[in-house]
Amino acid sequence: MQPTTSPVPPATALALRFRPTRPIVGALPYSLAVTAFIMAADNITFWQRGWEVFDGNLRQLAGWGLAVSMLTLLTLTLFGFRWLLRPMAAFLLILAAVTSYYMDTLGIVIDREMIQNAMLTTVTESKHLITAHFLIHVAVWGVLPASAALWVKVRPTPFLGNLGRWVLTVIVTLAVFTGALFSDFKAYSAVARERKELLASYQPGAAIGGAARYAKMMLKAKDVTVAPLGRDAKKGPLITALDKPVLTVVFVGETARAQNFGLDGYGRDTTPELARRDVINFTDVTSCGTSTAVSVPCMMSNLTRDGYSYDRSIRQENLIDVLHHADVDVLWWDNNTGDQGTASRIAEPRRMTAADDPAACAEGECTDAVFLGPLQQALPKITRDTVLFLHMIGSHGPSYFLRYPKAAEHFSPACQTPEFADCTTEEIVNAYDNSIRFTDQVIAQTIDLLAAQTDVVPAVLFLSDHGESLGEDGLYLHAAPYFMAPETQTTVPMVMWMPDSYAQAFKVDRPCLDAKATLPQSQDIVFHTVLGLMDIQTEVRDPALDLMASCG
């Protein structure tokens, strides 16, 4: 008797008949196809810059492009042995889609500093970079290709045969890479040395290299012993002779660029309040970095921009420690991404929230007006010499419209979304200028609060950590590598205010300071000038970098 089989339902039979067959390909064709897609779809800026760098020479661009393509193929091959190949391909496809979006639309380079910024940022700050356009781009150019890469089958081979092919592929890839470079080594070596922005736009290689350098930097930073600095610090005769405490408020500004600062000659009046107060405006100031993660620790150190590195900065004490050694109270109030590790040895930084001022946080995120109420409450309680650092949110993008209350919108129409593609350049600039104008208002109100005090001797220093790009040359936001950063990201405003009570107590030569305000300055002066403002004597205070040294 023949066994019977259950009949296949018609719907199932039809589905089986038309079910697509998963293609089966060899590992090398698979890797070449993934590499070709990444180089074509995710490296638009790379090819555009290459065309400019090689002045339209197709032969040189092709040789350079072939060499860089081999780097992608090598990465996929090295980390995609056997069953790892498809997951690695999917990872590279999604990563390249993410990094290419920021490179192609905002001009943002994902390097070590950018990865460091991402690791130190807050959810509130980072969420503005996850826009609808970004998600669509990653879905179309990352998730869909990655899904296809996972769907395709790679032809299985015995382990030894696979190993042999893997080794051969690595050797041939390196040979092609070397041959492409040596086809015009003189030109390519010059480009590698002098036009680093070209390799910085290579996706996802720039991000992978940046991640590797960041990991190396973090590994070196483990179990660091912090060296003492300025343990000899003490208060000088001028401050000890006073019968009142000195309060210096240091605004660590965020993303204010000098080009849009009214006091620095901008065509718009973005600083009307500071212009009405007797401030000293420094007209030519450069930043240490183009991101908070670099500039803030650099400002707090005595290393200067030329000598600064993350590793060196964490291996020694900083300005906050030296002030503490001199028996000065140090406070850090934060409306941004934290003190970047500079203040934690002295006191727990205070994070500003809606509880400090509900009105300042009524529109979803706290504007810098959140400092004013707590400051007014704290002033009567200050009985010791104090330096108060106020870390502002300032003009941090892309959501400039959230950095000021709607009632403070002076320039319109202003961009009301972090999606720059949905706004005109004029709308983006209007929103940014409104944020600068609100920063001006907050600083001016702080000055007024301090000027009304009779129980402290006050002073104010405002200095932005870095600037911002607003679409010039296709660049937006900040954190460009310093070697390729435009002046809009490295030239920042700086303002100092001191009332007559301070000038008299510290014998300040105001014309001397006014003269220094017209000379080129940099964030190198912060460490030494804050010590000078507080009359702190120590061997680590450098008179050449202390604005007060020869003016008091």
Side-chain angles (χ1 to χ4, degrees):
M1 182 176 179
Q2 297 293 327
T4 59
T5 58
S6 300
V8 178
T12 303
L14 185 64
L16 290 172
R17 181 179 179 184
F18 288 100
R19 183 176 64 183
T21 302
R22 293 173 63 185
I24 302 176
V25 298
L28 181 57
Y30 179 92
S31 299
L32 287 171
V34 171
T35 298
F37 180 88
I38 289 174
M39 294 305 299
D42 299 316
N43 279 278
I44 295 173
T45 301
F46 170 81
W47 294 114
Q48 289 175 339
R49 287 183 177 173
W51 180 261
E52 296 170 2
V53 166
F54 294 111
D55 199 24
N57 188 317
L58 281 175
R59 181 189 63 79
Q60 289 182 328
L61 179 58
W64 180 263
L66 178 61
V68 172
S69 298
M70 290 302 100
L71 292 177
T72 303
L73 179 59
L74 185 64
T75 301
L76 182 56
T77 303
L78 286 175
F79 297 98
F81 183 65
R82 288 180 69 81
W83 64 269
L84 290 173
L85 180 58
R86 291 191 302 158
M88 186 62 189
F91 169 74
L92 289 181
L93 286 163
I94 293 175
L95 176 63
V98 171
T99 58
S100 68
Y101 174 82
Y102 292 119
M103 181 78 258
D104 296 342
T105 61
L106 300 174
I108 294 176
V109 175
I110 311 296
D111 61 355
R112 186 186 70 180
E113 280 69 35
M114 182 58 71
I115 292 170
Q116 183 180 5
N117 290 329
M119 297 302 292
L120 294 174
T121 193
T122 62
V123 174
T124 299
E125 182 182 83
S126 60
K127 71 180 181 181
H128 298 297
L129 293 172
I130 311 299
T131 63
H133 288 188
F134 167 80
L135 294 174
I136 292 170
H137 177 94
V138 172
V140 172
W141 298 105
V143 176
L144 288 179
S147 301
L150 292 172
W151 181 63
V152 171
K153 291 184 177 181
V154 176
R155 184 175 292 111
T157 56
F159 178 81
L160 290 179
N162 202 312
L163 180 61
R165 289 187 180 90
W166 181 81
V167 172
L168 182 61
T169 301
V170 171
I171 293 172
V172 172
T173 301
L174 287 172
V176 175
F177 170 77
T178 304
L181 283 184
F182 276 90
S183 68
D184 197 341
F185 185 74
K186 183 178 180 180
Y188 296 149
S189 60
V191 166
R193 287 193 311 270
E194 300 167 13
R195 301 301 299 272
K196 295 179 181 179
E197 73 274 14
L198 181 54
L199 271 180
S201 63
Y202 158 50
Q203 310 304 329
I208 293 173
R213 289 190 291 273
Y214 176 75
K216 180 182 178 182
M217 183 176 73
M218 290 294 102
L219 286 173
K220 287 181 65 178
K222 287 186 66 177
D223 303 321
V224 166
T225 300
V226 180
L229 182 72
R231 294 292 176 93
D232 63 327
K234 62 180 181 180
K235 297 175 184 177
L238 295 176
I239 193 170
T240 54
L242 298 176
D243 58 358
K244 301 176 184 178
V246 173
L247 170 62
T248 295
V249 176
V250 180
F251 281 99
V252 182
E254 172 69 43
T255 321
R257 69 185 210 176
Q259 290 81 359
N260 290 55
F261 207 66
L263 291 179
D264 287 331
Y266 184 42
R268 283 177 161 179
D269 190 8
T270 55
T271 54
E273 297 302 324
L274 288 175
R276 285 193 281 268
R277 286 151 181 86
D278 188 22
V279 300
I280 303 168
N281 181 60
F282 294 81
T283 58
D284 185 5
V285 182
T286 54
S287 64
C288 183
T290 61
S291 66
T292 303
V294 173
S295 286
V296 169
C298 185
M299 279 192 280
M300 296 297 133
S301 78
N302 67 333
L303 296 172
T304 74
R305 192 181 82 81
D306 290 337
Y308 174 82
S309 70
Y310 174 78
D311 185 63
R312 290 189 68 190
S313 71
I314 63 172
R315 292 179 185 276
Q316 68 169 39
E317 294 179 332
N318 58 37
L319 170 61
I320 295 174
D321 297 290
V322 178
L323 290 167
H324 181 70
H325 299 331
D327 196 31
V328 171
D329 284 352
V330 181
L331 303 173
W332 185 287
W333 293 0
D334 207 284
N335 191 36
N336 201 326
T337 55
D339 65 305
Q340 308 297 307
T342 61
S344 55
R345 284 186 297 272
I346 304 306
E348 185 68 27
R350 175 179 177 177
R351 178 73 187 174
M352 312 309 291
T353 68
D356 295 302
D357 187 343
C361 308
E363 297 183 21
E365 295 181 18
C366 296
T367 69
D368 288 323
V370 73
F371 291 124
L372 298 174
L375 177 60
Q376 188 170 22
Q377 295 170 10
L379 283 172
K381 303 174 185 176
I382 293 177
T383 58
R384 288 168 44 83
D385 298 320
T386 302
V387 175
L388 169 60
F389 292 93
L390 301 180
H391 190 194
M392 311 175 78
I393 192 66
S395 300
H396 198 285
S399 298
Y400 306 126
F401 64 98
L402 292 178
R403 307 302 167 229
Y404 56 90
K406 188 66 177 177
E409 186 169 288
H410 183 80
F411 305 106
S412 59
C415 184
Q416 299 294 318
T417 172
E419 197 78 79
F420 286 161
D422 293 339
C423 297
T424 65
T425 299
E426 178 189 9
E427 290 169 337
I428 294 170
V429 172
N430 283 344
Y432 180 82
D433 285 350
N434 286 329
S435 70
I436 294 288
R437 194 177 171 101
F438 191 68
T439 293
D440 165 75
Q441 180 179 322
V442 170
I443 300 171
Q445 286 181 283
T446 301
I447 289 173
D448 292 345
L449 282 174
L450 296 175
Q453 300 303 306
T454 58
D455 295 328
V456 297
V457 179
V460 171
L461 177 66
F462 164 80
L463 179 62
S464 181
D465 56 353
H466 54 76
E468 185 88 328
S469 289
L470 297 176
E472 300 89 354
D473 298 320
L475 292 180
Y476 292 89
L477 304 179
H478 52 269
Y482 209 94
F483 69 83
M484 61 175 283
E487 288 188 359
T488 52
Q489 293 191 31
T490 60
T491 308
V492 295
M494 184 170 84
V495 171
M496 185 183 290
W497 172 82
M498 54 186 65
D500 291 340
S501 61
Y502 181 95
Q504 292 168 5
F506 289 91
K507 300 178 173 57
V508 176
D509 183 349
R510 178 61 184 264
C512 172
L513 277 177
D514 289 336
K516 286 187 177 183
T518 63
L519 301 176
Q521 306 290 349
S522 73
Q523 289 178 344
D524 295 349
I525 61 92
V526 174
F527 178 96
H528 309 277
T529 298
V530 172
L531 293 177
L533 283 166
M534 295 300 293
D535 190 30
I536 303 301
Q537 296 182 345
T538 170
E539 289 184 359
V540 297
R541 177 180 160 193
D542 185 351
L545 294 173
D546 175 12
L547 295 176
M548 306 301 295
S550 58
C551 295

